[in-house]
Amino acid sequence: MRMRDYMLPDHRNFIAAVGKGPSVRNFVSNSDDQELRTAYNTCVSLLRDFRSLHIRIIASYVIIPSKRAKGHQVEGLANVGTGGTGIMSFLKSVRDTTAAALLPDVSGT
């Protein structure tokens, strides 16, 4: 949760309030309303697509330029995220976790 320390107070408070609320996924998962599931899955799919775009932006504007920099003085920026993890593997795991939140249709397909 260290990342929240860098957020604006209103953003940090909003994230905390959402986190204290009920699980949207559980609510939708327990519903037989296919329209609700479709809307939920659309939101999750769009978030997954955003995360994929974010990965491409990081690759294009951070990873590739840092590898081209003379002497590779900023190479560490390309490989390690804020928490010390490998940035690309971290971003891909976040994207994959988002995709795993998709729900099957009520019919089970």
Side-chain angles (χ1 to χ4, degrees), residues 30-50:
N30 291 323
S31 171
D32 291 332
D33 184 341
Q34 184 56 48
E35 189 175 342
L36 179 62
R37 281 179 181 243
T38 299
Y40 170 85
N41 280 338
T42 298
C43 290
V44 172
S45 294
L46 290 170
L47 182 56
R48 179 204 55 218
D49 295 348
F50 170 77

Side-chain angles (χ1 to χ4, degrees), residues 76-102:
L77 291 176
N79 296 322
V80 179
T82 307
T85 60
I87 191 163
M88 293 306 277
S89 61
F90 170 73
L91 292 174
K92 288 177 182 180
S93 73
V94 170
R95 180 204 50 206
D96 296 345
T97 299
T98 299
L102 289 166

Side-chain angles (χ1 to χ4, degrees), residues 2-16:
R2 283 184 8 209
M3 185 174 87
R4 291 186 189 177
D5 294 340
Y6 299 102
M7 292 181 177
L8 296 171
D10 287 345
H11 295 183
R12 184 173 49 244
N13 294 338
F14 174 75
I15 297 293

Side-chain angles (χ1 to χ4, degrees), residues 59-77:
S60 295
Y61 294 99
V62 177
I63 306 281
I64 294 169
S66 72
K67 289 185 178 189
R68 289 182 182 156
K70 290 183 180 179
H72 299 284
Q73 295 129 336
V74 293
E75 188 171 339
L77 291 176

